[in-house]
Amino acid sequence: MTAGKPHILVLVGPTASGKSGLAIELAKLFDGEVISADSRQVYRGLTIGTGKVTKREMQRIPHHLLDVASPTKTFSADDFVQLAQRAIEDITSRGKLPIITGGTGFYIDSLVGRITLPNVPPNKALRERLEKKSAAQLYKELIKKDPRRAQMMDTPSERNNKVRLIRALEIAAHKQPAAPSRTPSYNTLWIGIAPTPEILDAKILTRLKARIKKGMVREAQTLHAAGLSYKRMIALGLEYRSLARLLQGTISRKAFEDELFIAIRRYAHKQQAYWKRNTDITWYKPTDNKRIATQVKKWLATLQ
């Protein structure tokens, strides 16, 4: 371990793999607090659709970076890093263990220093030209200009976020492609949860049905009535993209459920592919909680 740096535990894995529950269990065992690294759970009101952990499920374990932004505004990776750094400082100052978990790999890698967020000045002329293009066109252009950054932004919310895509192309035009940071920000233990494809598909379907039953469609109706446009809902990706299509009457209820299951399943596989690049991650089955706890205990003992 590198001396002088705060130590953090990072739990990664595909959506529906059980990261949230494991984070709470480990927080109870090792006096920790959870920092959510999810690009959509930061938004207020996006609760059922994103599968946000409830107060009851938290079991009195403090959770940070949930409901910190308006869904009508853009929340960037830089915003996440700044807020997460403050949360880590606060948690460690009280002698507790920060546990970072969530599905947005780009956020986590930015936080721990695996990638760098370049300091590039705005280019007004370039922005005006790019603003005329769709999010799909911008992402396609980013793949050509900076494939590494495009891969890191391969999430539903990022791929549909024109502001973020234009900024990425602005950085690429400045000849500063995404690159790993040389100096990690924290002493980090990486734990990954890897369900089999069959188990993961079953969990995704079960969770999706539960969220629909809980009122995901009603939540979207409430958000729209409160001022969240369908255009913005579509840009938020995944559940909210399909919800917007359903509420506008462009797809049936069955088509909504079918396309959403396929989209979430595809997203989960992309998450797994993203994390395969990180050789620091030790992967476990969803049932390996005791083995994971043992590894965390040994890791913490080396920091004494």
Side-chain angles (χ1 to χ4, degrees):
M1 294 293 176
T2 306
K5 295 182 179 179
H7 48 276
I8 62 175
L9 172 61
V10 176
L11 303 178
V12 301
T15 186
S17 59
K19 299 186 299 296
S20 297
L22 176 61
I24 291 168
E25 183 177 332
L26 293 175
K28 289 160 63 176
L29 286 173
F30 301 106
D31 196 18
E33 297 185 9
V34 178
I35 298 175
S36 171
D38 189 291
S39 63
R40 296 178 310 145
Q41 291 188 5
V42 297
Y43 294 116
R44 292 184 288 273
L46 274 63
T47 301
I48 301 173
T50 63
K52 199 175 294 178
V53 62
T54 66
K55 292 291 185 182
R56 182 177 181 181
E57 291 167 341
M58 288 179 189
Q59 300 179 48
R60 298 185 180 180
I61 297 297
H63 280 60
H64 303 260
L65 270 67
L66 296 173
D67 302 318
V68 295
S70 166
T72 62
K73 306 295 183 182
T74 298
F75 187 90
S76 69
D78 186 61
D79 293 328
F80 170 79
V81 169
Q82 291 186 45
L83 292 180
Q85 286 175 339
R86 292 177 201 166
I88 290 172
E89 184 177 354
D90 171 52
I91 294 167
T92 55
S93 72
R94 292 182 279 106
K96 296 181 179 293
L97 175 66
I99 301 174
I100 291 86
T101 188
T104 308
F106 184 62
Y107 278 14
I108 297 175
D109 277 348
S110 299
L111 172 64
V112 302
R114 284 177 55 82
I115 59 175
T116 303
L117 298 175
N119 183 20
V120 174
N123 184 327
K124 185 178 179 180
L126 177 63
R127 288 186 176 189
E128 289 178 352
R129 179 176 66 80
L130 294 175
E131 185 61 41
K132 299 174 183 178
K133 299 186 177 185
S134 68
Q137 290 172 323
L138 292 171
Y139 187 75
K140 187 175 181 180
E141 185 172 340
L142 184 60
I143 292 174
K144 296 178 181 178
K145 299 288 181 61
D146 190 347
R148 180 181 172 85
R149 190 176 299 279
Q151 185 179 23
M152 291 187 297
M153 293 182 66
D154 192 10
T155 69
S157 58
E158 293 287 297
R159 288 187 63 161
N160 288 282
N161 188 331
K162 285 187 65 173
V163 174
R164 289 276 298 122
L165 289 167
I166 289 172
R167 178 57 178 163
L169 286 166
E170 191 173 53
I171 293 169
H174 203 72
K175 306 302 181 183
Q176 284 198 29
S181 172
R182 293 179 179 273
T183 307
S185 305
Y186 304 101
N187 291 326
T188 306
L189 176 63
W190 294 86
I191 298 292
I193 308 301
T196 64
E198 296 77 16
I199 290 176
L200 182 59
D201 285 355
K203 285 189 172 185
I204 289 172
L205 183 59
T206 298
R207 193 175 75 159
L208 176 58
K209 288 181 177 180
R211 284 188 289 170
I212 292 173
K213 184 177 181 180
K214 192 174 181 180
M216 185 164 66
V217 177
R218 185 168 59 252
E219 176 181 88
Q221 291 171 328
T222 301
L223 286 166
H224 182 63
L228 187 64
S229 68
Y230 288 133
K231 181 179 179 180
R232 175 59 177 157
M233 208 177 288
I234 290 170
L236 287 166
L238 276 180
E239 297 86 358
Y240 295 93
R241 179 177 59 237
S242 294
L243 283 163
R245 283 159 50 77
L246 174 66
L247 295 182
Q248 291 177 96
T250 59
I251 56 173
S252 66
R253 180 61 177 255
K254 184 178 186 308
F256 159 74
E257 295 182 11
D258 290 345
E259 82 167 22
L260 190 47
F261 170 70
I262 293 170
I264 296 173
R265 184 172 178 267
R266 184 183 299 118
Y267 176 51
H269 292 167
K270 287 182 177 179
Q271 288 175 307
Q272 290 174 310
Y274 180 93
W275 288 120
K276 281 182 180 179
R277 300 176 303 159
N278 187 341
T279 57
D280 291 331
I281 300 173
T282 302
W283 292 96
Y284 292 92
K285 298 176 182 178
T287 54
D288 283 340
N289 288 17
K290 290 185 178 179
R291 290 181 59 210
I292 292 170
T294 298
Q295 183 180 358
V296 175
K297 184 176 181 179
K298 289 180 179 178
W299 172 67
L300 290 173
T302 67
L303 302 171
Q304 302 299 321

